[in-house]
Amino acid sequence: MKFFADTADTADIKELAETGLLDGVTTNPSLIAKSGRDFMEVTKEICGLTEGPVSAEVVALDHETMMKEAEVLRKIADNVCIKVPLTIDGLKTCKALTSDGTMVNVTLCFSANQALLAAKAGATFVSPFIGRHDDNGFDGMELIRDIRLIYDNYMFETEILAASVRHATHVLESARIGADVATMPPKVIKALANHVLTDKGIEGFMADWAKTGQSILK
Ligand code: G3P
C-alpha cells in the first residue's frame, strides 16, 4: 500500500520524505489556503521533495478552462498529477489528459458508480472520501469495498486512493480491502507507529539495560 501525505505543509512533507515511507503527496484548494503560500510556488517545492505523484487540483468547473489550468499545472514538474472533480466536465478532462500520458486524480468520489466512471475515463487515481462519507451517515469503508470489487471485476488499472482518512482504523480497513493508496494528514501517518506496548517495552528494556552498566558505542 502506498502512503501519500495529504498536506501542503512542506516542513511535514520533508520530515516524512526523510523516513523513506512517503510515496507521494495530495493537495487541494483548502490545503493550499491553509498553507498561506502561493499555489505554483508551494506545488513546485513539494514536487522537489518527493519523486512520487503530487496532486494539484484545477479550480475551473468547465472542461475548456480545466484543460487550460492543467496545461499550466503540468509544466510545474514531471511528477505533477492533475486533480479534477468527479463531474462530467472533470471526467472529460481526465480522459483528454490521460490519453496524452498525464497522471490524473479524480477527486470528490462518493459513490461506486462515480468510481466506475473515473476508471472508464482512464483515471490514474480515484479518490473516494472515507471520512466525509462517514460524517454524513454512510459507511466509507463499504464504498472502498464496492470500488475494489468493481475494479477487480473489470481489471481496471485505476488506483484506489483512499482519501479523507481521519485515523488509523481507516488505514487498516483500507489495507485489508486492498486500496492501492491511502492519503492522510502527516499526523495520521506518524500515529500508525504508536502502540502503548511498544512504549512500555522500550521503557522495560531501557531500565534493564541501564542495570548492565554497558554501552554499545565505545
Ligand atoms: O484527500 C482529501 C482530503 O483532503 C479531505 O479530507 O479530512 O478534509 O475530509 P477531509
Side-chain angles (χ1 to χ4, degrees), residues 6-7 26-28 30-31 83 105 107-108 110 127-133 135 161-166 183-185:
D6 195 29
T7 183
T26 51
T27 67
N28 61 37
S30 306
L31 294 169
K83 209 172 181 188
N105 177 356
T107 190
L108 290 166
F110 291 93
S127 291
F129 276 32
I130 301 172
R132 292 192 197 184
H133 214 63
D135 291 345
L161 195 168
S164 187
V165 164
R166 306 271 174 78
T183 190
M184 45 203 145

Side-chain angles (χ1 to χ4, degrees), residues 27-49:
T27 67
N28 61 37
S30 306
L31 294 169
I32 296 293
K34 191 174 166 197
S35 78
R37 307 241 340 241
D38 175 78
F39 181 28
M40 299 298 284
E41 183 194 285
V42 75
T43 306
K44 193 175 170 64
E45 190 178 332
I46 294 169
C47 287
L49 293 174

Side-chain angles (χ1 to χ4, degrees), residues 115-131:
L116 180 55
L117 290 174
K120 284 180 68 66
T124 316
F125 303 102
V126 66
S127 291
F129 276 32
I130 301 172

Side-chain angles (χ1 to χ4, degrees), residues 1-206:
M1 185 187 224
K2 286 178 259 188
F3 281 2
F4 289 180
D6 195 29
T7 183
D9 184 319
T10 51
D12 281 344
I13 294 167
K14 191 166 185 289
E15 187 188 350
L16 284 168
E18 283 167 359
T19 65
L21 297 170
L22 191 68
D23 301 299
V25 174
T26 51
T27 67
N28 61 37
S30 306
L31 294 169
I32 296 293
K34 191 174 166 197
S35 78
R37 307 241 340 241
D38 175 78
F39 181 28
M40 299 298 284
E41 183 194 285
V42 75
T43 306
K44 193 175 170 64
E45 190 178 332
I46 294 169
C47 287
L49 293 174
T50 175
E51 286 177 8
V54 174
S55 290
E57 191 159 342
V58 298
V59 289
L61 299 177
D62 66 285
H63 168 66
E64 261 188 27
T65 321
M66 280 184 197
M67 288 299 290
K68 284 183 193 153
E69 290 181 350
E71 202 44 48
V72 174
L73 296 177
R74 69 177 170 181
K75 284 196 189 116
I76 295 175
D78 288 344
N79 55 338
V80 163
C81 173
I82 307 298
K83 209 172 181 188
V84 299
L86 211 155
T87 59
I88 294 295
D89 282 71
L91 292 167
K92 193 171 162 189
T93 304
C94 173
K95 186 76 189 168
L97 291 172
T98 52
S99 303
D100 203 17
T102 301
M103 288 188 285
V104 176
N105 177 356
V106 179
T107 190
L108 290 166
C109 172
F110 291 93
S111 81
N113 275 337
Q114 287 183 317
L116 180 55
L117 290 174
K120 284 180 68 66
T124 316
F125 303 102
V126 66
S127 291
F129 276 32
I130 301 172
R132 292 192 197 184
H133 214 63
D134 291 352
D135 291 345
N136 285 279
F138 300 98
D139 182 352
M141 297 325 307
E142 197 59 37
L143 175 61
I144 304 292
R145 213 169 280 119
D146 281 348
I147 301 172
R148 180 75 282 157
L149 179 72
I150 292 167
Y151 280 13
D152 289 349
N153 281 347
Y154 297 98
M155 290 187 284
F156 282 125
E157 286 177 7
T158 297
E159 294 191 35
I160 302 173
L161 195 168
S164 187
V165 164
R166 306 271 174 78
H167 48 70
T169 308
H170 279 156
V171 182
L172 178 63
E173 285 301 312
S174 297
R176 279 191 175 133
I177 295 165
D180 303 281
V181 191
T183 190
M184 45 203 145
K187 68 170 192 292
V188 175
I189 300 183
K190 288 188 215 159
L192 297 179
N194 295 343
H195 199 288
V196 64
L197 292 180
T198 304
D199 296 342
K200 204 173 161 202
I202 289 173
E203 206 180 295
F205 287 156
M206 291 306 102

